Amino acid sequence: MSVARRAFIQMSVGATVGILFTPTVWKALDDVSIWTQNWPWIPKLKYGAAGAVPTVSKMCESGCAVKVRTVAGEAFGTMGNADNPISGGGICPLCANGVQVMNSPTRIKAPMLDGEEISWEKAQEVVAEKLAAAGSKVAVISGDQTGTVNEVFSALLNSAGSDAFYVMPCDMQAADKAWTGLMGSQGQVGYDLEGADVVLLAGADALESWGPTVANLKAFAANESGKFIFAGPMQTKTASVTSKWVPVPAEGMAAFLLGVTYYVLQAGNMAGTADFYDYKAMVMNDYSPAKVEAATGVKADQMAEIAKQLLAASSPVVVPGGSVAAHAAAFALNVLLGGAMKVVPEFEKAIPSAMSRSEMLKADILEGVDTDLLFVYEANPAYALPEKVKAGFTVAFDMVNTETTASANLVLPTLHPYERFDDLATPYGLPAATYSMGAPVSKPTVNAGCAATFVLGLADLGFETFEEVLGAKAEAIGADVEALQGGEAFVVDGGTPVPLSLAPNVVGKAAVPVKGTGAVGLAPYTLLNIGTANQATTPNAPCTISNNQLVGDYMVVQMASATAKQLGVSVGSKVKLSGGKGECEALVQIFEGVMPGVVAAPLGLGHTVGDEFSKGKGDNVYKILTVSSEAAAGASTWAGSTVNVAKI
């Protein structure tokens, strides 16, 4: 492993822990030290026994298996759980700030109906009445990708005669639509990043924001001899420590992968599906290297070299991000190559009437939601999906105030992950089915409740509390509850992927690059220390945000010097980006790690609700993303978003 890779892993996995537990760092930064250690809302610790209690955290999209550091039974910090394969002792920047968020003044203190505080009993009456009146026009938007809480919500929908379960846009959904939808397969796709000898990250920013980032970092560090290649419109942190960055526009990722596939097919590799020869004919006729180069700008010799390395590898793997078409093209390429792509089984359900995970991923939220009664669970669609969600009455479950809770009719405060029973079922990307569980570490400091238990009180689903549901879940999969709550994980190995179809007609049409009408392409990217679609910047994070993302209260966008010249701007220029139905203001930074003709902008800034660490900081890039239709694949995507840029 190179020094650069080792340094990156140490920085990424250990930096936040160092910030939290090494006061010497702050003593060297006097002003920062005063700011970050003297918030009036941080409780004072008592003298007592120190402990490290295992549980799970849902601050990030994949979730982290953590240990909560306590003194006299009171939480003061968070660390990774070395005994759990999801964490391996590491922790992401969001989950590392769990205690700070738990004690944040932005926490919702009690149930609120139209701005007035009410009791939980009154809230139950109101929701029961709305549920009866809505009939089947009920929907759920969940920000939890890995929890059994989704079984509870989906079972409630089933009892109302609705299947309108939505997840926030994510790679797990695109992967499922490709794997179980287009290719007719079962299970969830995973990737053995530690065992692969050549890894092509095709738009998957695996070390920063894609999949279980902490597990990815650990696998990346352990794979000392593996060769990693990153393809995408921007040289991300992941790309900066791989062997090679291949500039590929987001809307051209599927075509690029089919261009690589051309050479793999030319070498004689085959797949055992009935439509293999149709797939081969589609690729050889429509996605020749010359055609792909013309459509994407990626040179034919670059695709040939990548194919050569994949073919020479004993255990290669292609890891996609982005559109359904890109996922389908990557999965087909993996099937042709053999190697380190895995398919992991779905764990048995605790509630028989609940949806399977694949069923929960079917509905396309980018097409819009319009319903009489909407339940939103720890998600922020009002921020990340402006104008996409409409409801007659909205019930928002969350820990802290957000744009969604600000606009909801009924706001119900959820217990923090350290105050509740919760679980993590196979975060997307892991090469094995992995189940973890957590129990309360701290007593609630506000009048919060368990969202799943509240929902169980609305319909007869066979359980009275969520703790009972989790007990049934453990029994259904054959795991021991005490071992799980002690920090252990239940693991079932993944197997060899066997698709029923390669879907040549669909993939061939959906892979054609579709770009918006703006002057330049928009490359949105996520950094966990800035936040996600569901979680705003956490309290310790501002000290780690670079001036390549935020200067003062202004967001920073990055572009190559050729793009800046084309637009008539330079370093520090203030610009307005217009796209979709919105506008953003930003400052310009020059970075040659962005493709020419593309502007890179950080997601997660520009909140209008929140605390001093997120509210009014930067601008909201989700406002300027444009949705394009993958009509052939029956899906929508943000890939291909473009903007016009005007100097202010």
Side-chain angles (χ1 to χ4, degrees):
M1 178 171 59
S2 70
V3 175
R5 186 186 299 183
R6 188 184 304 276
F8 179 82
I9 299 301
Q10 291 173 342
M11 176 184 70
S12 298
V13 179
T16 305
V17 177
I19 289 171
L20 290 174
F21 300 118
T22 312
T24 308
V25 174
W26 296 130
K27 289 177 182 177
L29 301 169
D30 215 25
D31 292 340
V32 176
S33 175
I34 293 170
W35 181 50
T36 59
Q37 297 187 31
N38 291 281
W39 294 308
W41 39 270
I42 293 292
K44 304 299 181 185
L45 291 175
K46 303 173 183 178
Y47 287 99
V53 186
T55 190
V56 296
S57 172
K58 290 295 183 74
M59 302 294 291
C60 69
E61 292 182 353
S62 294
C64 287
V66 302
K67 287 187 176 180
V68 181
R69 295 180 59 140
T70 62
V71 170
E74 190 165 320
F76 74 90
T78 314
M79 60 192 289
N81 182 354
D83 300 323
N84 190 291
I86 295 176
S87 169
I91 190 169
C92 80
L94 289 177
C95 292
N97 276 254
V99 171
Q100 286 75 11
V101 173
M102 183 175 68
N103 294 317
S104 170
T106 63
R107 282 201 69 179
I108 303 165
K109 307 299 191 296
M112 304 290 290
L113 176 63
D114 295 328
E116 298 292 330
E117 184 174 328
I118 62 171
S119 66
W120 279 96
E121 291 75 17
K122 178 63 175 176
Q124 194 90 29
E125 292 176 12
V126 170
V127 177
E129 291 176 2
K130 296 293 182 182
L131 187 61
S136 62
K137 294 203 69 176
V138 184
V140 171
I141 298 175
S142 177
D144 187 334
Q145 295 183 12
T146 57
T148 301
V149 65
N150 290 335
E151 288 191 30
V152 177
F153 276 106
S154 68
L156 177 68
L157 286 181
N158 183 61
S159 70
S162 171
D163 61 357
F165 189 100
Y166 297 89
V167 297
M168 298 293 281
C170 59
D171 280 303
M172 180 167 64
Q173 182 177 44
D176 184 80
K177 285 182 177 292
W179 184 245
T180 70
L182 299 184
M183 305 178 81
S185 303
Q186 294 182 336
Q188 179 175 298
V189 172
Y191 312 91
D192 182 8
L193 298 182
E194 183 174 342
D197 49 354
V198 174
V199 179
L200 172 58
L201 299 170
D205 197 4
L207 305 188
E208 180 57 43
S209 61
W210 175 94
T213 52
V214 174
N216 295 342
L217 284 160
K218 291 292 183 179
F220 190 76
N223 191 346
E224 297 193 17
S225 59
K227 184 181 183 65
F228 288 76
I229 304 165
F230 183 86
M234 176 189 182
Q235 188 176 29
T236 63
K237 287 184 179 180
T238 300
S240 68
V241 291
T242 56
S243 303
K244 184 177 181 60
W245 167 50
V246 183
V248 179
E251 70 276 8
M253 189 59 68
F256 159 73
L257 289 171
L258 292 178
V260 175
T261 302
Y262 178 96
Y263 291 103
V264 173
L265 290 168
Q266 196 176 58
N269 287 42
M270 300 178 66
T273 61
D275 58 5
F276 165 72
Y277 288 103
D278 291 335
Y279 192 84
K280 180 177 180 179
M282 179 272 292
V283 173
M284 304 304 280
N285 292 333
D286 300 336
Y287 290 90
S288 66
K291 290 181 179 179
V292 173
E293 181 174 335
T296 67
V298 184
K299 299 295 184 183
D301 59 354
Q302 289 184 299
M303 291 181 279
E305 178 58 28
I306 291 170
K308 180 180 178 181
Q309 293 181 48
L310 291 170
L311 286 165
S314 60
S315 185
V317 69
V318 181
V319 184
S323 69
V324 174
H327 281 80
F331 296 161
L333 183 51
N334 279 313
V335 170
L336 289 168
L337 291 166
M341 185 173 108
K342 304 293 181 182
V343 174
V344 303
E346 181 173 350
F347 289 119
E348 293 293 324
K349 295 183 292 185
I351 304 177
S353 61
M355 293 178 175
S356 67
R357 180 174 287 189
S358 184
E359 289 170 335
M360 294 175 190
L361 295 168
K362 294 303 181 190
D364 186 350
I365 198 169
L366 290 180
E367 290 184 350
V369 179
D370 192 351
T371 189
D372 286 354
L373 177 60
L374 175 65
F375 294 95
V376 182
Y377 178 70
E378 295 191 347
N380 195 359
Y383 166 75
L385 298 165
E387 302 184 4
K388 286 292 180 183
V389 178
K390 298 178 181 178
F393 190 91
T394 298
V395 182
F397 297 89
D398 216 323
M399 291 180 289
V400 296
N401 289 300
T402 67
E403 287 81 1
T404 297
T405 64
S407 61
N409 303 93
L410 177 62
V411 180
L412 299 178
T414 58
L415 294 166
H416 184 278
Y418 301 168
E419 301 167 347
R420 70 194 190 203
F421 291 95
D422 212 337
D423 64 347
L424 289 170
T426 316
Y428 173 64
L430 290 179
T434 308
Y435 185 79
S436 300
M437 188 183 292
V441 175
S442 297
K443 294 180 179 180
T445 57
V446 297
N447 185 18
C450 173
T453 298
F454 180 90
V455 172
L456 290 169
L458 298 171
D460 184 8
L461 302 179
F463 301 90
E464 292 186 1
T465 69
F466 190 46
E467 184 179 358
E468 293 176 6
V469 174
L470 292 181
K473 184 74 171 182
E475 183 178 356
I477 69 176
D480 181 80
V481 170
E482 290 187 4
L484 290 169
Q485 294 183 356
E488 296 182 18
F490 181 78
V491 180
V492 178
D493 290 338
T496 301
V498 182
L500 296 179
S501 169
L502 299 181
N505 292 334
V506 174
V507 175
K509 295 174 184 176
V512 176
V514 177
K515 192 173 182 179
T517 58
V520 293
L522 178 63
Y525 64 95
T526 299
L527 295 175
L528 287 181
N529 63 326
I530 291 177
T532 67
N534 297 326
Q535 175 64 56
T537 306
T538 51
N540 272 329
C543 304
T544 69
I545 296 175
S546 165
N547 60 6
N548 287 325
Q549 285 77 45
L550 189 69
V551 172
D553 290 340
Y554 278 95
M555 175 177 72
V556 176
V557 295
Q558 301 179 71
M559 62 185 74
S561 56
T563 309
K565 183 177 180 181
Q566 170 192 338
L567 297 173
V569 299
S570 57
V571 173
S573 292
K574 186 185 295 185
V575 295
K576 179 180 292 183
L577 286 73
S578 305
K581 295 183 179 180
E583 297 178 340
C584 286
E585 291 188 1
L587 301 177
V588 171
Q589 178 62 276
I590 302 300
F591 176 42
E592 302 302 342
V594 180
M595 287 184 65
V598 172
V599 173
L603 296 167
L605 297 170
H607 286 273
T608 57
V609 175
D611 55 26
E612 61 185 294
F613 312 107
S614 60
K615 185 178 179 181
K617 304 296 182 183
D619 215 331
N620 181 5
V621 174
Y622 288 102
K623 295 186 299 184
I624 58 174
L625 294 178
T626 51
V627 178
S628 59
S629 173
E630 289 187 273
S636 304
T637 180
W638 277 321
S641 292
T642 57
V643 292
N644 291 313
V645 181
K647 189 174 181 179
I648 300 175

